[in-house]
Amino acid sequence: MTARIEQFGVPYGDFLLRGDHYAGARSNHTLLLHGAGASTRHMHHLLRNALQERGVGTTCFECVGHGETGGLLAQSSVASRTRQAEAVIAARAMDEPLALIGISMGAYNAIRLTQSHPVDALVLMVPGVYPPDAYEVPFGPAFSAVIRRERSWMDTDAWDILARFEGALLVVAAEHDAVIPLEIPERLVAAAGRARQRELMVVEGGQHNRVWALLAEQPERFDAALGSVIAALHKGR
């Protein structure tokens, strides 16, 4: 079967947010939010293609400073990334309640989106979280100074936000993540006391930027992990 992928662009200030939609039977409510650094939507084709093959469609766009959207990272911030996601949700008339897949920094954006949109499923992969005083700071030296404070993530508002979440939650951690300490995924799951379902999946041997590629080397592990993602997305509904 030929994959059905629709390219799109969404205006956001002086930028055009470039993205694509992988069509599926349940197609227009799942948004994937990529991470920071050099991340692009194309880095997640392996996961999105596997989901599409199983009937789960996804939408993903590149934030300002990334990929085909272009611009400089200094022209964006964590808060701007959330607003960019809101622009895409509105422009694409995405069905609500939403299902959100957030990767690394994108996990925090997904958590923040539960404050402004109905969300019934959260899949947070190698999740990063940030203190409120870093939220509006443009990416660059000032932002780095805030988040490099010792255990700055302890002051995040993510715990309190997730405490109000009532949908399905799956947190995927990498065993050997040199960026995100395991304490963060553990605390996120613990915080979501009102969630309909909550689960922590630790990928044995996984690294921050190598989870699904590692799993793909062992099809049985890949299928099991993918099944957990799909189950979370479905149980949200």
Side-chain angles (χ1 to χ4, degrees):
M1 182 182 72
T2 302
R4 292 164 293 151
I5 302 176
E6 174 197 357
Q7 311 288 325
F8 65 79
V10 171
Y12 180 81
D14 295 332
F15 301 96
L16 190 65
L17 303 174
R18 297 288 186 178
D20 51 39
H21 173 67
Y22 284 43
R26 300 173 66 252
S27 196
N28 196 41
H29 78 289
T30 301
L31 178 67
L32 186 148
L33 300 164
H34 68 70
S39 296
T40 71
R41 71 185 193 273
H42 301 296
M43 293 174 62
H44 306 297
H45 172 74
L46 176 63
L47 171 60
R48 297 178 67 202
N49 184 63
L51 288 171
Q52 186 182 44
E53 289 177 346
R54 291 156 179 80
V56 180
T58 58
T59 296
C60 184
F61 72 97
E62 287 162 335
C63 296
V64 172
H66 295 265
E68 295 172 21
T69 293
L72 303 175
L73 286 175
Q75 296 172 291
S76 188
S77 64
V78 182
S80 176
R81 285 170 53 107
T82 301
R83 292 190 285 267
Q84 291 165 48
E86 291 174 332
V88 170
I89 292 166
R92 298 292 298 172
M94 295 189 69
D95 299 331
E96 295 183 337
L98 299 166
L100 302 175
I101 301 174
I103 300 174
S104 194
M105 181 181 285
Y108 183 69
N109 293 119
I111 293 168
R112 277 284 193 151
L113 283 167
T114 67
Q115 297 182 295
S116 56
H117 292 267
V119 176
D120 61 9
L122 276 177
V123 177
L124 309 177
M125 301 183 186
V126 293
V129 295
Y130 303 89
D133 58 341
Y135 193 51
E136 294 281 358
V137 179
F139 294 131
F143 176 77
S144 296
V146 175
I147 67 171
R148 286 176 182 166
R149 294 194 309 250
E150 182 70 20
R151 290 172 66 84
S152 67
W153 53 266
M154 282 288 293
D155 298 325
T156 185
D157 52 358
W159 327 124
D160 292 336
I161 298 171
L162 274 184
R164 298 188 290 274
F165 180 65
E166 298 181 351
L169 171 68
L170 171 65
V171 180
V172 181
E175 181 186 20
H176 302 304
D177 196 327
V179 179
I180 306 297
L182 183 58
E183 189 176 352
I184 292 178
E186 290 174 338
R187 286 178 64 100
L188 288 172
V189 173
R194 297 174 63 181
R196 182 182 306 119
Q197 167 192 310
R198 52 180 172 162
E199 177 186 353
L200 172 63
M201 178 172 68
V202 180
V203 177
E204 183 179 351
Q207 301 172 30
H208 188 72
N209 290 316
R210 194 167 189 268
V211 172
W212 292 100
L214 174 69
L215 291 170
E217 294 174 0
Q218 300 179 39
E220 289 186 1
R221 289 182 69 196
F222 185 91
D223 288 344
L226 189 67
S228 294
V229 172
I230 293 173
L233 295 176
H234 285 183
K235 287 179 180 177
R237 290 237 143 181

mmCIF file of all heavy atoms in Angstrom, residues 43-70:
data_model
loop_
_atom_site.group_PDB
_atom_site.id
_atom_site.type_symbol
_atom_site.label_atom_id
_atom_site.label_comp_id
_atom_site.label_asym_id
_atom_site.label_seq_id
_atom_site.Cartn_x
_atom_site.Cartn_y
_atom_site.Cartn_z
ATOM 1 N N MET A 43 12.717 12.840 11.191
ATOM 2 C CA MET A 43 13.399 11.938 12.106
ATOM 3 C C MET A 43 12.442 10.920 12.711
ATOM 4 O O MET A 43 12.883 9.907 13.267
ATOM 5 C CB MET A 43 14.078 12.742 13.224
ATOM 6 C CG MET A 43 15.225 13.609 12.756
ATOM 7 S SD MET A 43 15.888 14.673 14.076
ATOM 8 C CE MET A 43 16.458 13.447 15.245
ATOM 9 N N HIS A 44 11.150 11.167 12.599
ATOM 10 C CA HIS A 44 10.174 10.301 13.233
ATOM 11 C C HIS A 44 9.355 9.492 12.218
ATOM 12 O O HIS A 44 8.278 8.984 12.536
ATOM 13 C CB HIS A 44 9.267 11.132 14.133
ATOM 14 C CG HIS A 44 10.044 11.949 15.121
ATOM 15 N ND1 HIS A 44 10.847 11.376 16.091
ATOM 16 C CD2 HIS A 44 10.203 13.292 15.259
ATOM 17 C CE1 HIS A 44 11.437 12.321 16.784
ATOM 18 N NE2 HIS A 44 11.067 13.491 16.301
ATOM 19 N N HIS A 45 9.895 9.376 11.001
ATOM 20 C CA HIS A 45 9.183 8.629 9.957
ATOM 21 C C HIS A 45 9.016 7.165 10.345
ATOM 22 O O HIS A 45 7.959 6.565 10.078
ATOM 23 C CB HIS A 45 9.922 8.740 8.627
ATOM 24 C CG HIS A 45 9.361 7.853 7.557
ATOM 25 N ND1 HIS A 45 8.163 8.134 6.911
ATOM 26 C CD2 HIS A 45 9.805 6.667 7.031
ATOM 27 C CE1 HIS A 45 7.906 7.174 6.035
ATOM 28 N NE2 HIS A 45 8.885 6.271 6.096
ATOM 29 N N LEU A 46 10.016 6.559 10.959
ATOM 30 C CA LEU A 46 9.937 5.145 11.322
ATOM 31 C C LEU A 46 8.718 4.881 12.195
ATOM 32 O O LEU A 46 7.922 3.963 11.925
ATOM 33 C CB LEU A 46 11.219 4.719 12.055
ATOM 34 C CG LEU A 46 11.265 3.290 12.592
ATOM 35 C CD1 LEU A 46 11.175 2.281 11.456
ATOM 36 C CD2 LEU A 46 12.542 3.068 13.408
ATOM 37 N N LEU A 47 8.552 5.674 13.222
ATOM 38 C CA LEU A 47 7.406 5.509 14.124
ATOM 39 C C LEU A 47 6.105 5.853 13.420
ATOM 40 O O LEU A 47 5.125 5.082 13.495
ATOM 41 C CB LEU A 47 7.588 6.404 15.354
ATOM 42 C CG LEU A 47 6.384 6.511 16.294
ATOM 43 C CD1 LEU A 47 6.002 5.151 16.862
ATOM 44 C CD2 LEU A 47 6.680 7.510 17.415
ATOM 45 N N ARG A 48 6.075 6.965 12.724
ATOM 46 C CA ARG A 48 4.824 7.409 12.103
ATOM 47 C C ARG A 48 4.385 6.459 10.990
ATOM 48 O O ARG A 48 3.185 6.203 10.814
ATOM 49 C CB ARG A 48 4.979 8.835 11.567
ATOM 50 C CG ARG A 48 5.263 9.858 12.667
ATOM 51 C CD ARG A 48 5.447 11.249 12.094
ATOM 52 N NE ARG A 48 4.216 11.755 11.538
ATOM 53 C CZ ARG A 48 4.145 12.713 10.624
ATOM 54 N NH1 ARG A 48 5.269 13.236 10.136
ATOM 55 N NH2 ARG A 48 2.984 13.130 10.177
ATOM 56 N N ASN A 49 5.350 5.950 10.237
ATOM 57 C CA ASN A 49 5.024 5.005 9.179
ATOM 58 C C ASN A 49 4.450 3.718 9.771
ATOM 59 O O ASN A 49 3.473 3.157 9.249
ATOM 60 C CB ASN A 49 6.269 4.696 8.351
ATOM 61 C CG ASN A 49 5.974 3.780 7.177
ATOM 62 O OD1 ASN A 49 5.225 4.132 6.277
ATOM 63 N ND2 ASN A 49 6.552 2.589 7.188
ATOM 64 N N ALA A 50 5.050 3.253 10.877
ATOM 65 C CA ALA A 50 4.545 2.043 11.524
ATOM 66 C C ALA A 50 3.137 2.261 12.070
ATOM 67 O O ALA A 50 2.283 1.379 11.980
ATOM 68 C CB ALA A 50 5.498 1.623 12.638
ATOM 69 N N LEU A 51 2.891 3.430 12.626
ATOM 70 C CA LEU A 51 1.541 3.737 13.102
ATOM 71 C C LEU A 51 0.561 3.775 11.932
ATOM 72 O O LEU A 51 -0.558 3.241 12.025
ATOM 73 C CB LEU A 51 1.540 5.085 13.838
ATOM 74 C CG LEU A 51 2.199 5.113 15.213
ATOM 75 C CD1 LEU A 51 2.313 6.547 15.715
ATOM 76 C CD2 LEU A 51 1.411 4.269 16.212
ATOM 77 N N GLN A 52 0.971 4.409 10.845
ATOM 78 C CA GLN A 52 0.085 4.504 9.680
ATOM 79 C C GLN A 52 -0.254 3.126 9.133
ATOM 80 O O GLN A 52 -1.399 2.869 8.752
ATOM 81 C CB GLN A 52 0.723 5.362 8.594
ATOM 82 C CG GLN A 52 -0.212 5.623 7.404
ATOM 83 C CD GLN A 52 0.443 6.446 6.313
ATOM 84 O OE1 GLN A 52 1.600 6.197 5.964
ATOM 85 N NE2 GLN A 52 -0.267 7.418 5.779
ATOM 86 N N GLU A 53 0.721 2.236 9.115
ATOM 87 C CA GLU A 53 0.477 0.882 8.626
ATOM 88 C C GLU A 53 -0.558 0.153 9.470
ATOM 89 O O GLU A 53 -1.201 -0.789 9.000
ATOM 90 C CB GLU A 53 1.780 0.078 8.595
ATOM 91 C CG GLU A 53 2.748 0.518 7.503
ATOM 92 C CD GLU A 53 4.050 -0.244 7.545
ATOM 93 O OE1 GLU A 53 4.314 -0.927 8.572
ATOM 94 O OE2 GLU A 53 4.812 -0.167 6.563
ATOM 95 N N ARG A 54 -0.742 0.614 10.698
ATOM 96 C CA ARG A 54 -1.711 0.005 11.606
ATOM 97 C C ARG A 54 -2.958 0.864 11.751
ATOM 98 O O ARG A 54 -3.735 0.696 12.684
ATOM 99 C CB ARG A 54 -1.056 -0.270 12.954
ATOM 100 C CG ARG A 54 -0.010 -1.388 12.866
ATOM 101 C CD ARG A 54 1.017 -1.295 13.978
ATOM 102 N NE ARG A 54 2.008 -2.362 13.922
ATOM 103 C CZ ARG A 54 3.055 -2.364 13.099
ATOM 104 N NH1 ARG A 54 3.233 -1.370 12.246
ATOM 105 N NH2 ARG A 54 3.916 -3.365 13.113
ATOM 106 N N GLY A 55 -3.122 1.808 10.826
ATOM 107 C CA GLY A 55 -4.351 2.587 10.765
ATOM 108 C C GLY A 55 -4.381 3.852 11.584
ATOM 109 O O GLY A 55 -5.417 4.507 11.666
ATOM 110 N N VAL A 56 -3.254 4.218 12.195
ATOM 111 C CA VAL A 56 -3.215 5.412 13.049
ATOM 112 C C VAL A 56 -2.530 6.546 12.294
ATOM 113 O O VAL A 56 -1.326 6.494 12.025
ATOM 114 C CB VAL A 56 -2.468 5.131 14.369
ATOM 115 C CG1 VAL A 56 -2.437 6.388 15.236
ATOM 116 C CG2 VAL A 56 -3.126 3.983 15.116
ATOM 117 N N GLY A 57 -3.272 7.563 11.959
ATOM 118 C CA GLY A 57 -2.712 8.713 11.263
ATOM 119 C C GLY A 57 -2.105 9.698 12.245
ATOM 120 O O GLY A 57 -2.488 9.759 13.416
ATOM 121 N N THR A 58 -1.139 10.479 11.776
ATOM 122 C CA THR A 58 -0.505 11.495 12.620
ATOM 123 C C THR A 58 -0.253 12.767 11.818
ATOM 124 O O THR A 58 -0.042 12.724 10.611
ATOM 125 C CB THR A 58 0.847 11.014 13.190
ATOM 126 O OG1 THR A 58 1.719 10.660 12.112
ATOM 127 C CG2 THR A 58 0.672 9.827 14.117
ATOM 128 N N THR A 59 -0.249 13.873 12.532
ATOM 129 C CA THR A 59 0.145 15.165 11.977
ATOM 130 C C THR A 59 1.407 15.610 12.698
ATOM 131 O O THR A 59 1.526 15.441 13.915
ATOM 132 C CB THR A 59 -0.968 16.205 12.174
ATOM 133 O OG1 THR A 59 -2.129 15.798 11.430
ATOM 134 C CG2 THR A 59 -0.534 17.584 11.710
ATOM 135 N N CYS A 60 2.352 16.163 11.954
ATOM 136 C CA CYS A 60 3.578 16.678 12.557
ATOM 137 C C CYS A 60 4.039 17.887 11.761
ATOM 138 O O CYS A 60 3.896 17.920 10.534
ATOM 139 C CB CYS A 60 4.667 15.602 12.568
ATOM 140 S SG CYS A 60 6.195 16.092 13.411
ATOM 141 N N PHE A 61 4.584 18.884 12.454
ATOM 142 C CA PHE A 61 5.114 20.065 11.778
ATOM 143 C C PHE A 61 6.474 20.383 12.374
ATOM 144 O O PHE A 61 6.828 19.908 13.455
ATOM 145 C CB PHE A 61 4.174 21.261 11.939
ATOM 146 C CG PHE A 61 4.159 21.833 13.334
ATOM 147 C CD1 PHE A 61 4.938 22.936 13.670
ATOM 148 C CD2 PHE A 61 3.378 21.256 14.328
ATOM 149 C CE1 PHE A 61 4.938 23.451 14.956
ATOM 150 C CE2 PHE A 61 3.372 21.758 15.623
ATOM 151 C CZ PHE A 61 4.153 22.860 15.933
ATOM 152 N N GLU A 62 7.238 21.197 11.662
ATOM 153 C CA GLU A 62 8.545 21.613 12.148
ATOM 154 C C GLU A 62 8.452 23.004 12.764
ATOM 155 O O GLU A 62 7.993 23.950 12.121
ATOM 156 C CB GLU A 62 9.565 21.566 11.004
ATOM 157 C CG GLU A 62 9.915 20.116 10.672
ATOM 158 C CD GLU A 62 10.551 19.923 9.316
ATOM 159 O OE1 GLU A 62 10.327 20.760 8.411
ATOM 160 O OE2 GLU A 62 11.260 18.918 9.150
ATOM 161 N N CYS A 63 8.880 23.103 13.985
ATOM 162 C CA CYS A 63 8.841 24.378 14.697
ATOM 163 C C CYS A 63 9.826 25.372 14.085
ATOM 164 O O CYS A 63 10.738 24.993 13.347
ATOM 165 C CB CYS A 63 9.188 24.153 16.165
ATOM 166 S SG CYS A 63 8.019 23.116 17.064
ATOM 167 N N VAL A 64 9.616 26.632 14.384
ATOM 168 C CA VAL A 64 10.526 27.680 13.921
ATOM 169 C C VAL A 64 11.949 27.345 14.359
ATOM 170 O O VAL A 64 12.208 26.986 15.511
ATOM 171 C CB VAL A 64 10.104 29.049 14.487
ATOM 172 C CG1 VAL A 64 11.145 30.114 14.174
ATOM 173 C CG2 VAL A 64 8.737 29.448 13.933
ATOM 174 N N GLY A 65 12.874 27.449 13.390
ATOM 175 C CA GLY A 65 14.255 27.110 13.659
ATOM 176 C C GLY A 65 14.616 25.688 13.283
ATOM 177 O O GLY A 65 15.768 25.276 13.452
ATOM 178 N N HIS A 66 13.653 24.949 12.747
ATOM 179 C CA HIS A 66 13.862 23.543 12.423
ATOM 180 C C HIS A 66 13.456 23.245 10.982
ATOM 181 O O HIS A 66 12.470 23.800 10.476
ATOM 182 C CB HIS A 66 13.034 22.643 13.345
ATOM 183 C CG HIS A 66 13.445 22.701 14.778
ATOM 184 N ND1 HIS A 66 14.315 21.809 15.362
ATOM 185 C CD2 HIS A 66 13.103 23.567 15.763
ATOM 186 C CE1 HIS A 66 14.485 22.110 16.627
ATOM 187 N NE2 HIS A 66 13.757 23.179 16.907
ATOM 188 N N GLY A 67 14.212 22.352 10.348
ATOM 189 C CA GLY A 67 13.826 21.762 9.076
ATOM 190 C C GLY A 67 13.386 22.748 8.026
ATOM 191 O O GLY A 67 13.966 23.817 7.843
ATOM 192 N N GLU A 68 12.303 22.399 7.327
ATOM 193 C CA GLU A 68 11.823 23.188 6.206
ATOM 194 C C GLU A 68 11.138 24.477 6.642
ATOM 195 O O GLU A 68 10.983 25.402 5.836
ATOM 196 C CB GLU A 68 10.864 22.346 5.361
ATOM 197 C CG GLU A 68 11.537 21.147 4.691
ATOM 198 C CD GLU A 68 10.540 20.216 4.031
ATOM 199 O OE1 GLU A 68 9.406 20.656 3.730
ATOM 200 O OE2 GLU A 68 10.872 19.037 3.835
ATOM 201 N N THR A 69 10.736 24.570 7.891
ATOM 202 C CA THR A 69 10.152 25.826 8.376
ATOM 203 C C THR A 69 11.212 26.915 8.400
ATOM 204 O O THR A 69 10.950 28.068 8.057
ATOM 205 C CB THR A 69 9.550 25.638 9.781
ATOM 206 O OG1 THR A 69 8.428 24.753 9.689
ATOM 207 C CG2 THR A 69 9.100 26.965 10.377
ATOM 208 N N GLY A 70 12.416 26.552 8.791
ATOM 209 C CA GLY A 70 13.522 27.514 8.776
ATOM 210 C C GLY A 70 13.433 28.550 9.877
ATOM 211 O O GLY A 70 12.681 28.414 10.839
#
